Amino acid sequence: MGITSAWSISAHDDAFIAAMAPRLLPLIAAEQENPIARERWDRWQREPLPDFRTWWKPGVRTCQEEAEAVHSFHELTASGEHVQKMYDGLSPEDDFSLITDVWEQVDDAQDIFLSVHTKEYALRSFFHAIGPVRAALFPGWCGNFLLTHAEVRATLPAVERALGFTPGERAVAEEQDWLDYPGSDEESVLDGPLRIWRQAAANGRGLCGVSVVIY
């Protein structure tokens, strides 16, 4: 059996964002300030990974180099131990739940992008598909962020640059997104983030982004 993970980006009013800030922002900061995590991020920025279909194949890199690079990227894009506390509370006594206290506070299905996958992280495939240069344009840390409406509007141009593709670029990105989308109405990681960012910016909403293991 493997993990099941979720990457969510949900839209909320600024009052909700303000109430969530004391909980989520310190967790994101703890992930971002981890020296090992920073080293992994910097390595990926310096050494983008090749086509995932070539990983571990002879002749692309030495086996050791490839294994180390892929492992580093996998650790970078897994759910961090700090942000994971957003799922079911900071301690056993904390009754906070990402499901009930964030996701279920969304009234309209259009106000959330949710990508759930078994044995995989949506954020991982997303980052690989768009590459490190585009990923660096996103606020927060590795898919985790908490933004007021003003911050959503301020960051929208960068997100549009990150996810604005020519037809050829889009085709390449789709080839590098290895996730399965069995539902006909399921948004891909290349579509959902930009849609909800634009929607939140237009509707006066803030955004909460979280990448966690749910079981």
Side-chain angles (χ1 to χ4, degrees):
M1 294 181 64
I3 56 95
T4 295
S5 75
W7 183 31
S8 67
I9 305 176
S10 49
H12 309 271
D13 60 33
D14 275 356
F16 181 92
I17 298 298
M20 197 61 56
R23 177 180 294 274
L24 180 53
L25 292 180
L27 299 177
I28 295 174
E31 300 288 357
Q32 192 167 11
E33 293 165 5
N34 183 319
I36 296 176
R38 294 299 317 182
E39 180 180 337
R40 289 168 176 156
W41 173 267
D42 291 343
R43 178 174 186 169
W44 183 48
Q45 292 290 315
R46 294 191 311 269
E47 306 172 26
L49 295 173
D51 186 325
F52 78 91
R53 293 164 294 190
T54 71
W55 293 356
W56 298 294
K57 285 188 177 181
V60 178
R61 297 186 184 185
T62 65
C63 291
Q64 182 176 358
E65 288 174 342
E66 180 181 276
E68 289 175 353
V70 172
H71 176 75
S72 176
F73 177 71
H74 280 198
E75 290 297 307
L76 172 68
T77 52
S79 174
E81 63 173 316
H82 300 289
V83 171
Q84 183 60 35
K85 296 175 183 177
M86 273 294 290
Y87 181 63
D88 55 6
L90 300 174
S91 69
E93 294 75 32
D94 184 6
D95 62 359
F96 178 88
S97 166
L98 179 65
I99 295 175
T100 59
D101 294 309
V102 179
W103 295 350
E104 291 183 1
Q105 303 306 307
V106 175
D107 295 326
D108 189 330
Q110 289 300 304
D111 282 337
I112 188 169
F113 163 69
L114 180 61
S115 191
V116 179
H117 295 272
T118 300
K119 299 182 180 179
E120 193 49 83
Y121 290 92
L123 187 277
R124 177 177 296 159
S125 185
F126 172 70
F127 265 15
H128 178 68
I130 67 173
V133 174
R134 292 174 184 265
L137 294 172
F138 275 78
W141 180 253
C142 291
N144 302 289
F145 47 82
L146 189 69
L147 306 173
T148 65
H149 172 239
E151 291 169 328
V152 169
R153 291 189 63 184
T155 55
L156 177 59
V159 174
E160 289 182 323
R161 290 197 302 275
L163 295 178
F165 302 104
T166 65
E169 290 170 339
R170 173 71 187 212
V172 171
E174 287 179 348
E175 287 183 348
Q176 293 305 304
D177 173 17
W178 57 73
L179 299 174
D180 292 324
Y181 301 100
S184 60
D185 59 347
E186 185 174 353
E187 284 184 297
S188 83
V189 291
L190 298 176
D191 293 323
L194 182 55
R195 173 195 63 80
I196 198 165
W197 225 285
R198 286 173 168 167
Q199 180 178 302
N203 295 341
R205 311 280 274 176
L207 290 175
C208 176
V210 183
S211 177
V212 294
V213 172
I214 57 176
Y215 54 82

